Amino acid sequence: MISANLSALFYLVSGVLFILALRGLSSPETSRQGNFFGILGMSIAVVVTFLSIGNFSTGFIYVLIFILIGGSIGALIAYRIPMTAMPELVAGFHSLVGLAAVFVAISAFLNPVAFNLGVPGNIKLGSLIEMSIGAAVGAITFSGSIIAFLKLQGIMSGSPITFKGQHLLNAIILTLILILIYFLCSSQSSKLFWILLAVSFLIGFLLIIPIGGADMPVVISMLNSYSGWAAAGIGFTLENTALIITGALVGSSGAILSYIMCKGMNRSFFNVILGGWGATDDASSKSTKEQRPVKSGNADDAAFLMKNASSVIIVPGYGMAVAQAQHALREMVDTLKKNDIKVSYAIHPVAGRMPGHMNVLLAEANVPYDEVFELEDINNDFANADVAFVIGANDVTNPVAKTDPQSPIYGMPVLDVEKCKSVLFVKRSLSPGYAGIDNDLFYKENTLMLFADAKKMTEDITKNL
């Protein structure tokens, strides 16, 4: 059994390591070190928690059994999951964090004596407030993450699902949650507690279904924030310093990341959180595509343009992830470099389906970090580049974001690929991206469409090179 003061000290050390982990994860070059600090901090927190268990002989065995079961399942899933499915994995893990917070809140409410919170019907007011908020946020995180998982997996439509009066209904339910928490704290009624959980699960569904696929990276970081706040709330209930620190770090960093991404997309933070920002009329998109001619080519054409280029900028998108073309892309780039062609990668903040999705895939293919640039660092280089090779990206390269005030992506910063001398666009078809709108870049004079699977096309180009 470890003393309370010593536990607090070790939890503080864990908190410092978690802060260093976040600092390390802010850059690809230091991400491995950041990961190590995070693992070390969590290991210390887990060991200290074990040593803090009152009934060591019985409690330790139960905790160890469940950690081994859960840890084995999690490790197996993480080991087998492909990098392309990482957003779904993150959404799934967020849902489990939320559900864990709900279960802890239920346990504390039904048996407050075990948590030193009082007795049933007479729980400490502060603890009850923390428990209620943690349970509500946990339930919202769980159900919202389930919807995000279904959308990312393709089981559910990625388009915004809206209905009349949706925002009003959400506002009423959120107000109802606050009212329920107030009356629960005054009456400590078990019925109100279960109603609070049910209503919180419901609002989680309603908050995420109207958010479209184009905003999914923001949703992932937002749910990450929710899971952190849920953990922090339950940390107060358990009087666990490490859980409070960890939850606050995750909650605040997730919220800041969501805000930064919304700002980078010229989106209203509250608009994205509270609903979709407009599906477009697919019919009009289709009719437009039928009337506008495009130039299409093959791998031989693409190889010819690249051979005669002095600089090439690669723009990866979710299509590259789906086709798992990152390794083939790396081989193509290596071939270009052997011919003394300068190659760099341009990453849009919301390319893919989660923050840093493209960076992770390129790192998996051992692409050097110094060749990968963010939008603001490389956008001016497109005008001087000979070829832009767009592989699976769509909305993040659409020029209408700068020219059409009626477009749902108007104002969103995009990569200026149309300024290149030649644009090679690898895509299976002319179908719109997540925003549901046609891409004007398809029809530019300097654009050559390469209709094929991204991996196969890239491999064929490499052979021709």
Side-chain angles (χ1 to χ4, degrees), residues 375-392:
L375 178 145
E376 61 272 11
D377 297 323
I378 200 170
N379 232 10
N380 292 331
D381 295 346
F382 283 104
N384 301 317
D386 294 311
V387 175
F389 185 74
V390 184
I391 177 167

Side-chain angles (χ1 to χ4, degrees), residues 84 317-332 361-362 364-365 389 391-392 426 453-459:
T84 50
Y318 187 66
M320 182 191 77
V322 172
Q324 299 187 36
Q326 61 269 28
H327 295 285
L329 181 65
R330 170 66 195 272
E331 291 177 15
M332 185 190 81
L361 291 173
L362 293 178
E364 185 193 19
F389 185 74
I391 177 167
V426 183
D453 172 80
K455 183 178 180 181
K456 186 177 186 309
M457 174 57 71
T458 306
E459 289 172 343

Side-chain angles (χ1 to χ4, degrees), residues 389-458:
F389 185 74
V390 184
I391 177 167
N394 199 333
D395 294 328
V396 298
T397 62
N398 197 337
V400 299
K402 298 177 290 184
T403 59
D404 183 6
Q406 304 303 316
S407 170
I409 64 170
Y410 180 70
M412 182 179 90
V414 293
L415 293 163
D416 295 331
V417 294
E418 78 276 7
K419 294 182 179 179
C420 277
K421 294 177 183 176
S422 299
V423 178
L424 300 174
F425 209 122
V426 183
K427 205 170 183 296
R428 287 181 178 273
S429 67
L430 292 175
S431 60
Y434 294 140
I437 58 173
D438 205 11
N439 191 342
D440 265 10
L441 185 61
F442 298 161
Y443 314 104
K444 296 287 185 181
E445 279 294 321
N446 59 333
T447 299
L448 186 69
M449 298 299 297
L450 306 173
F451 295 114
D453 172 80
K455 183 178 180 181
K456 186 177 186 309
M457 174 57 71
T458 306

Side-chain angles (χ1 to χ4, degrees), residues 257-269 411-413:
L257 178 59
S258 300
Y259 175 75
I260 290 172
M261 293 180 70
C262 284
K263 189 176 179 181
M265 296 167 64
N266 197 34
R267 295 276 166 261
S268 163
F269 181 67
M412 182 179 90

